[in-house]
Amino acid sequence: MQRQRAHAGRHGPAILDSRTTRFRLWAPDAQKVSLSVVGAQTLPMSAEKDGWYSIDAPYGAGTLYRFLIDDELEVPDPASRAQAGDVHAPSVVVDHTGYRWRNAEWRGRPWHETVLYELHAGLYGGFAAVEQHLAGLVELGVTAIELMPIAEFPGDRNWGYDGVLPYAPEAAYGSPEELKHLVDTAHGLGLMVFLDVVYNHFGPDGNYLGRYARHFFRHDQQTPWGDAIDFRRREVRDFFIDNALMWLLDYRFDGLRLDAVHAIPDRSLLTELAERVHATVEPGRHVHLVLENEDNRASLLAQGFTAQWNDDGHNVLHCLLTGEHQGYYADYHREATGKLARFLGEGFIYQGQNNRRGESRGEPSAHLPPTAFVLFLQNHDQTGNRAFGERLVSLADAEALRAATAVLLLSPMVPLLFMGEEWGARQPFLFFTSHHGELADAVREGRRAEFAEFAEFAQFADENVREHIPDPNALSTFEDSRPDFSSHREPGHVEWSALYRRLLQIRHREIIPRLDGARFRGAQVLGDAAVLAHWWLGDHSTLRLELNLGAAAVPLPAAPAAARLLFDSREADAQRGQLPARSARLYLENAHER
């Protein structure tokens, strides 16, 4: 077992020796700052240049503390490494060198080997409980888990996107040591661990930065969550870049998924973050940075970022599977077959074209490798942002969903599964929080108003709409979202488990060894909701996809005689020169067999 040197960022406490810690706070709008240690005397901190306050105090790991602003307001450390309870509780000094890593020689895995599995640690029961499921995921064929955000948030139930203390793992999930043990255990099983991080806003409860560092935000730019963060300031940029480095170095995460970077107005923050990460991690270690970016900025994927979540791909597949066309699905429902072909043949659908609002969106993407796109049929957003959190197994035709699952798991794009998807879980994934008082009321009513105008609620009077939308703050909403991990062996679920297992076996045997160097080759429309797509793989072989999500069979060109069938979702319905309705077939044509 090995100790590890802690990452030394400027924000937050730094342990100087076993009995001394340097406490720091950037508080340019405070006239006075003091260190308030629980059970001890309050100590004045020294004012330094550029709005910093600092003190070297005789306290070590485990110390509980707050900062006292202008003798009137006690606040947690915004760069707290752990909390003694909730976001308003005292912060805790953490010694990141104290954990002894059992798998310190782990260097990660190449990106093309990635099969992601997104999960919510709270629904599993915390970090220690997640560990109990890792071996089963490895056996399934997963190579990486991705934790939804775990930064300390108000209450003990939350998706994680209301975090206010980005450096502190949520206390309700476990301690920093338990989180490290989870990562360490995953590495011992050959699993990568990714973390979803939120650098575009803070949650609405527990953020005190505006009181003593109001220029942390810029009031001339707005986001969906309020004033934008002011990344023009060095102190603010370092706050988030050092946070990324902490997760990658102190916790040894293998990668980060950066949430909604389209809401970060200063693109240079992203490129600097990527540069700092790649310059800092030890040589030879695989670390991957993945974006969520509605703007489809393909250029970022050549500036230090590994991949982007492909919402375009999800959205067009969802429209074809369900027929839904409300909200943002309206951008994909019209001319859906052509958009399906563009997604399979070039990556993004929107590469500068106008959306339904007449706004140009996206950049050309066909030059990127298919592995630059993370593909999914379900995730926390696309399931949880539905009024009732229904999963696709309850919304789509089973045969069409089988075909789409083959695309997910056998295309050269990197697949992402959402917890429970692999056994056809029918428990919903709902939007849940644990706010209180007026904030709880506002969240509840806002959630209900969001769906009040949707067609499925038009039959209800306003008061009945309120009754039908689950209350995000109710404990039952959280409990109803917990996957039933014992159900995967029950009738109706065994078939889905077998499908995912079979497809992932094919992926590991036939696709992953050929992925490095893969390229898009294009796609053509065969008929309504039916396309033929090809990709060049890294060994010069060709992967051929025949996909028909429509209700009628379509004619198609025969596969080359030398092409080897990898998977046929409708084996019993095979017809010469025809692609059956709601089916997918994939072939591999090796270069030496042409």
Side-chain angles (χ1 to χ4, degrees):
M1 295 186 180
Q2 295 186 20
R3 285 176 175 262
Q4 183 173 310
R5 182 172 61 88
H7 169 64
R10 191 170 186 188
H11 292 268
I15 295 176
L16 302 180
D17 56 46
S18 61
R19 299 182 179 179
T20 311
T21 299
R22 176 169 296 158
F23 296 88
R24 296 165 291 197
L25 180 69
W26 186 58
D29 297 308
Q31 301 303 308
K32 178 182 179 182
V33 178
S34 301
L35 176 68
S36 178
V37 174
V38 174
Q41 184 179 3
T42 298
L43 301 174
M45 299 174 68
S46 299
E48 301 176 351
K49 66 178 182 177
D50 299 325
W52 285 93
Y53 289 82
S54 176
I55 185 174
D56 293 353
Y59 301 105
T63 298
L64 276 61
Y65 70 101
R66 291 186 178 95
F67 295 121
L68 178 61
I69 308 296
D70 295 335
D71 291 330
E72 62 183 26
L73 176 65
E74 281 196 331
V75 301
D77 188 339
S80 166
R81 268 42 174 190
Q83 286 294 102
D86 206 1
V87 294
H88 305 286
S91 301
V92 183
V93 176
V94 173
D95 180 7
H96 273 306
T97 67
Y99 182 83
R100 295 184 178 272
W101 292 89
R102 294 163 293 154
N103 297 286
E105 300 306 314
W106 169 264
R107 290 295 178 265
R109 300 180 66 151
W111 175 248
H112 69 270
E113 296 180 359
T114 304
V115 176
L116 283 160
Y117 188 93
E118 186 187 26
L119 63 88
H120 185 280
L123 289 174
Y124 277 68
F127 301 136
V130 172
E131 280 193 41
Q132 307 308 310
H133 296 266
L134 298 182
L137 292 175
V138 172
E139 197 269 335
L140 174 67
V142 168
T143 65
I145 61 171
E146 180 175 307
L147 304 180
M148 289 177 64
I150 59 172
E152 188 73 53
F153 52 73
D156 55 9
R157 304 183 305 276
N158 200 290
W159 274 17
Y161 300 91
D162 286 338
V164 293
L165 298 174
Y167 286 78
E170 169 58 40
Y173 298 167
S175 67
E177 290 72 23
E178 287 175 309
L179 176 57
K180 291 179 181 179
H181 196 274
L182 166 60
V183 175
D184 205 2
T185 301
H187 289 169
L189 294 169
L191 277 172
M192 296 182 284
V193 187
F194 286 72
L195 180 62
D196 194 343
V197 293
V198 182
Y199 294 159
N200 52 61
H201 76 287
F202 291 89
D205 180 20
N207 173 23
Y208 296 96
L209 283 165
R211 166 62 179 82
Y212 56 83
R214 66 178 184 273
H215 293 300
F216 205 99
F217 305 93
R218 55 184 305 176
H219 313 298
D220 61 329
Q221 287 190 349
Q222 295 294 303
T223 74
W225 306 279
D227 289 345
I229 296 171
D230 193 350
F231 292 107
R232 298 171 299 180
R233 295 181 176 273
R234 182 75 263 160
E235 296 85 359
V236 176
R237 295 171 83 91
D238 285 344
F239 183 87
F240 291 101
I241 293 172
D242 283 334
N243 179 260
L245 290 170
M246 180 200 74
W247 294 122
L248 296 170
L249 300 177
D250 293 340
Y251 288 90
R252 295 194 65 77
F253 279 94
D254 298 279
L256 303 174
R257 181 259 192 190
L258 279 68
D259 176 68
V261 300
H262 50 270
I264 296 176
D266 191 340
R267 176 172 168 170
S268 67
L269 168 79
L270 300 174
T271 54
E272 182 184 348
L273 184 151
E275 290 170 359
R276 290 268 299 276
V277 163
H278 294 303
T280 304
V281 297
E282 52 268 51
R285 183 179 164 202
H286 295 285
V287 169
H288 311 294
L289 300 176
V290 181
L291 299 171
E292 181 199 21
N293 187 357
E294 288 185 2
D295 292 338
N296 283 3
R297 291 198 178 278
S299 52
L300 282 171
L301 299 175
Q303 295 179 285
F305 292 93
T306 310
Q308 177 177 315
W309 276 29
N310 196 344
D311 285 307
D312 279 2
H314 165 274
N315 293 347
V316 71
L317 287 169
H318 187 93
C319 287
L320 290 167
L321 288 170
T322 67
E324 294 181 1
H325 54 85
Q326 298 186 85
Y328 53 80
Y329 289 131
D331 282 335
Y332 301 87
H333 183 264
R334 185 178 180 183
E335 300 176 351
T337 306
K339 290 173 179 173
L340 176 66
R342 189 182 306 145
F343 141 64
L344 291 170
E346 301 180 20
F348 290 142
I349 293 173
Y350 284 90
Q351 303 179 38
Q353 294 87 350
N354 288 346
N355 61 18
R356 67 190 185 282
R357 300 189 181 95
E359 302 163 339
S360 175
R361 172 174 169 248
E363 298 173 347
S365 62
H367 64 286
L368 295 170
T371 51
F373 302 90
V374 175
L375 180 60
F376 42 86
L377 296 177
Q378 301 174 86
N379 62 29
H380 73 273
D381 264 335
Q382 306 297 351
T383 304
N385 282 333
R386 302 179 64 83
F388 300 114
E390 308 100 320
R391 294 169 177 262
L392 268 180
V393 70
S394 301
L395 301 170
D397 172 84
E399 290 296 342
L401 185 53
R402 281 174 57 88
T405 301
V407 177
L408 169 69
L409 298 182
L410 296 183
S411 89
M413 301 183 210
V414 169
L416 177 141
L417 313 182
F418 185 57
M419 56 180 184
E421 170 186 340
E422 73 279 14
W423 74 81
R426 291 185 178 271
Q427 290 80 23
F429 180 72
L430 299 162
F431 177 66
F432 51 80
T433 60
S434 48
H435 298 309
H436 302 284
E438 293 182 1
L439 179 57
D441 293 338
V443 170
R444 182 186 307 110
E445 293 308 311
R447 179 71 172 174
R448 290 168 172 172
E450 181 179 352
F451 296 103
E453 297 182 2
F454 276 48
E456 56 263 44
F457 300 111
Q459 59 183 306
F460 301 120
D462 287 347
E463 62 273 12
N464 288 329
V465 172
R466 292 185 181 82
E467 293 174 3
H468 282 79
I469 305 296
D471 179 1
N473 297 292
L475 177 60
S476 59
T477 302
F478 175 79
E479 293 295 341
D480 288 346
S481 300
R482 197 187 298 273
D484 181 359
F485 296 106
S486 65
S487 66
H488 65 281
R489 294 187 177 91
E490 297 177 358
H493 297 289
V494 172
E495 296 83 359
W496 286 109
S497 295
L499 175 66
Y500 276 75
R501 197 173 310 277
R502 179 185 174 191
L503 289 172
L504 284 173
Q505 287 172 350
I506 296 171
R507 184 177 188 86
H508 283 284
R509 184 179 67 246
E510 303 283 2
I511 307 299
I512 286 177
R514 298 175 167 91
L515 267 186
D516 192 19
R519 292 176 293 149
F520 287 106
R521 188 178 161 183
Q524 65 188 79
V525 172
L526 298 174
D528 183 38
V531 298
L532 174 65
H534 294 87
W535 296 271
W536 286 295
L537 301 182
D539 66 347
H540 305 294
S541 61
T542 297
L543 182 66
R544 171 186 171 110
L545 167 66
E546 301 170 358
L547 175 65
N548 182 5
L549 296 178
V554 297
L556 82 164
R564 179 161 52 92
L565 180 67
L566 299 181
F567 179 78
D568 185 347
S569 70
R570 297 285 295 269
E571 293 171 343
D573 297 325
Q575 302 175 44
R576 182 180 297 274
Q578 292 282 312
L579 182 59
R582 303 183 181 96
S583 69
R585 288 197 292 244
L586 288 105
Y587 294 85
L588 184 67
E589 181 186 356
N590 290 320
H592 66 274
E593 296 173 343
R594 293 176 187 171

